[in-house]
């Protein structure tokens, strides 16, 4: 219940922010941008609580609730109306999906793909080497010490990794009662991944009622289904890159779509040491699109946001661990 309150409040904040910033864009674009704001706001909440040594269940829940209520109070009627219109559009889309046997079959495959990692996470203890050596130590230390700090490690890879996704994992773990479901912390990243693939399919001409079900097949890729049952970051990295690249590719880019792309690519940059080459390609695409649309200044701003979001964890690790 506390998890629903905390992340539901952040979801409301994200939806209202996307509605305010992107009134003239498609519902899929707003939903994808909102999913990135949702993840970023959870990371920001943990980072805000860390210096105060308040990384704990109730401070996090109350902070998220306060953020959601503030967004609700400041959003304005047009944003609320647009969120309502998007939810009604989603309802209508799901009705069309329900009338298409092929789409229902695809959703069934995706559901089975989700049930398998859920079952594995419930029955098995954390098992993967990367989770036990790089990611879970930071999560458990943050929950225990109520703040983020450098966790001693014999591995330079662990001490030098940016760990931005791990900060989101801290947000998820702090609202769980125990470690039973800790291996499912990558599951929220399925949201931007599916929405990004659906947006790319929509741009290729597929109707939304087809694009969304087909996009859920991402969850059925064997490597994705296996990694969803472990506290690693590869699914998170893939999802954030997909989101950033999808928003960089939309026709008629605006300041909001470019900033959303920069946010997604910045989060990806701060997730793993292997991110810079692909993120650099995404930022180059973003700048090229901005130049073609005569919005180069806004494109440069989006690139700056990507570097601010993604690179500060590298700087922080360098200061803390010298790596």
């Amino acid at each position: 219940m506390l998890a629903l309150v905390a992340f539901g409040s952040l979801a409301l904040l994200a939806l209202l922010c996307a509605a305010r910033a992107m009134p003239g864009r498609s519902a899929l674009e707003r939903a994808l941008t909102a999913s990135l704001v949702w993840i970023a706001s959870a990371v920001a909440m943990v980072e805000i609580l860390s210096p105060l040594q308040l990384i704990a269940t109730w401070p996090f829940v109350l902070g998220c609730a306060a953020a959601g209520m503030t967004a609700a109070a400041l959003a304005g009627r047009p944003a609320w109306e647009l969120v309502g219109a998007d939810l009604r559009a989603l309802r209508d889309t799901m009705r069309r999906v329900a009338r298409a046997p092929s789409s229902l079959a695809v959703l069934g495959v995706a559901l089975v793909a989700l049930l398998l990692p859920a079952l594995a996470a419930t029955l098995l203890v954390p098992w993967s080497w990367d989770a036990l050596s790089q990611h879970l130590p930071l999560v458990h230390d943050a929950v225990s010490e109520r703040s983020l700090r450098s966790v001693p490690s014999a591995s330079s890879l662990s001490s030098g990794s940016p760990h931005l996704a791990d900060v989101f994992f801290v947000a998820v773990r702090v609202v769980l009662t125990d470690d039973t479901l800790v291996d499912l912390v990558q599951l929220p990243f399925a949201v931007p991944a599916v929405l990004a693939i659906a947006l790319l399919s929509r741009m290729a001409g597929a109707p939304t009622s087809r694009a969304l079900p087909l996009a859920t097949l991402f969850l059925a890729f064997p490597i994705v289904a296996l990694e969803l049952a472990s506290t690693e970051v590869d699914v998170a990295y893939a999802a954030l890159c997909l989101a950033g690249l999808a928003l960089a590719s939309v026709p008629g880019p605006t300041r909001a779509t470019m900033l959303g792309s920069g946010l997604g690519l910045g989060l990806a940059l701060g997730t793993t040491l292997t991110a810079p080459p692909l993120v650099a390609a995404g930022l180059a695409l973003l700048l090229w699109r901005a130049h073609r649309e005569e919005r180069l200044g806004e494109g440069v701003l989006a690139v700056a946001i990507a570097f601010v979001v993604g690179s500060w964890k590298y700087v922080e690790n360098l200061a803390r661990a010298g790596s």
Side-chain angles (χ1 to χ4, degrees), residues 149 191 223 244 313 319:
R149 61 177 187 167
V191 177
I223 184 61
K313 294 300 289 184

Side-chain angles (χ1 to χ4, degrees), residues 19-94:
R20 287 271 303 200
M22 310 172 73
R25 307 301 300 188
S26 71
L28 265 179
E29 291 173 28
R30 283 192 293 272
L32 178 55
T33 303
S35 70
L36 294 174
V37 174
W38 180 58
I39 290 169
S41 60
V43 170
M45 186 61 64
V46 173
E47 292 288 351
I48 290 170
L49 294 175
S50 177
L52 305 174
Q53 291 191 319
L54 288 176
I55 296 179
T57 301
W58 281 108
F60 181 79
V61 171
L62 293 175
C64 292
M69 288 187 291
T70 302
L74 299 178
R77 184 174 179 180
W80 280 102
E81 291 176 347
L82 193 51
V83 170
D86 287 345
L87 293 176
R88 289 190 295 273
L90 175 61
R91 178 198 63 194
D92 295 339
T93 297
M94 296 313 297

Side-chain angles (χ1 to χ4, degrees), residues 192-237:
V194 168
L195 290 173
I197 296 170
L199 179 57
L200 290 169
S201 301
R202 187 73 187 88
M203 286 189 282
T208 305
S209 58
R210 292 278 184 173
L212 272 175
L214 288 174
T216 62
L217 287 179
F218 169 81
L219 304 173
F221 289 172
I223 184 61
V224 174
L226 286 170
E227 277 239 358
L228 280 177
S230 64
T231 311
E232 301 193 29
V233 298
D234 300 289
V235 174
Y237 170 56

Side-chain angles (χ1 to χ4, degrees), residues 212-293:
L212 272 175
L214 288 174
T216 62
L217 287 179
F218 169 81
L219 304 173
F221 289 172
I223 184 61
V224 174
L226 286 170
E227 277 239 358
L228 280 177
S230 64
T231 311
E232 301 193 29
V233 298
D234 300 289
V235 174
Y237 170 56
L240 295 169
C241 283
L242 278 169
L245 291 171
L247 286 171
S249 304
V250 295
T254 63
R255 177 187 297 179
T257 62
M258 287 188 284
L259 294 182
S261 175
L263 176 61
L265 293 171
L267 289 170
L269 179 62
T271 293
T272 175
L273 284 172
T274 59
L278 185 54
V279 171
L283 294 176
L285 171 64
L286 179 61
L287 285 175
W288 178 69
R289 294 293 313 284
H291 175 68
R292 288 196 61 182
E293 298 291 331

